[in-house]
Amino acid sequence: MSDVVIIMGSTSDLPVVEKAKSLLQELEVSVEMRVGSAHRTPEHVRELIARAESEGTKVFICAAGGAAHLAGAVAALTARPVVGIPLAAGALGGVDALYSTCNMPPGMPVATVSVGSWGATNAALLAAQILAVADDTLHERLCTYRAQKTRDVIAKDQELQAGDQG
Ligand code: RP5
């Protein structure tokens, strides 16, 4: 059983989605990746969600491009939190996926993050933050991660200043 299951619409989504997996692993969150399409394999998605729920998965991350209905379809199948990553696929650059993922009708929420790799990072962090509500050690790891990001920016600022003075 994994606390987080990431479902992507196609293996062509893998290069972006892997970023979410590795960040969750870095945060020591158990995670697995699956492929299932709302349009091409709706029954497979239904079975996958039922199985994951019965095994104790707590958060689902869904990534899809195009007319991206995967996150919404999963939200219809589970009362667990669903985080949706819209991906850029096809001619519309991800705007289509963003609208399809975020504009859910009242009653079936999808926590939609940014398009593409920014979204993969934020989906992982959001899933970890959801789990951290009931896990203080994970919360500590998230605080450490954020503190490092702060230090990185300060270091860049100092580098820039040093360059200007040189
Ligand atoms: C979506 O259609 C997938 O999530 C992918 O982003 C896009 C294209 O899929 P492939 O044609 O590459 O399988 O369902």
Side-chain angles (χ1 to χ4, degrees):
M1 181 276 278
S2 298
D3 283 339
V4 177
V5 168
I6 303 173
I7 310 167
M8 68 202 90
S10 166
T11 49
S12 63
D13 302 326
L14 197 52
V16 174
V17 173
E18 266 179 336
K19 199 164 187 165
K21 184 189 174 194
S22 47
L23 181 48
L24 284 163
Q25 287 174 329
E26 186 183 323
L27 291 165
E28 298 175 43
V29 172
S30 62
V31 55
E32 64 192 91
M33 292 196 298
R34 302 295 303 264
V35 180
S37 164
H39 307 122
R40 294 166 175 158
T41 66
E43 279 312 312
H44 174 60
V45 170
R46 180 185 290 277
E47 284 161 20
L48 205 156
I49 298 307
R51 177 88 182 258
E53 271 211 321
S54 73
E55 291 178 357
T57 291
K58 297 186 177 74
V59 183
F60 293 94
I61 294 175
C62 299
H69 298 122
L70 181 60
V74 170
L77 294 169
T78 179
R80 295 292 185 187
V82 177
V83 181
I85 311 172
L87 298 177
L92 300 181
V95 174
D96 45 351
L98 174 62
Y99 285 173
S100 303
T101 304
C102 78
N103 204 26
M104 288 294 289
M108 293 292 147
V110 168
T112 306
V113 292
S114 332
V115 175
S117 72
W118 291 6
T121 297
N122 281 345
L125 291 171
L126 188 53
Q129 287 177 213
I130 291 166
L131 294 169
V133 167
D135 182 340
D136 289 344
T137 59
L138 177 56
H139 181 253
E140 276 307 309
R141 288 196 288 277
L142 279 161
C143 290
T144 303
Y145 174 91
R146 292 167 69 101
Q148 184 58 51
K149 293 289 161 207
T150 302
R151 282 196 297 274
D152 290 347
V153 174
I154 302 297
K156 291 284 174 203
D157 181 46
Q158 285 167 350
E159 259 176 49
L160 203 59
Q161 272 184 300
D164 279 348
Q165 283 159 11

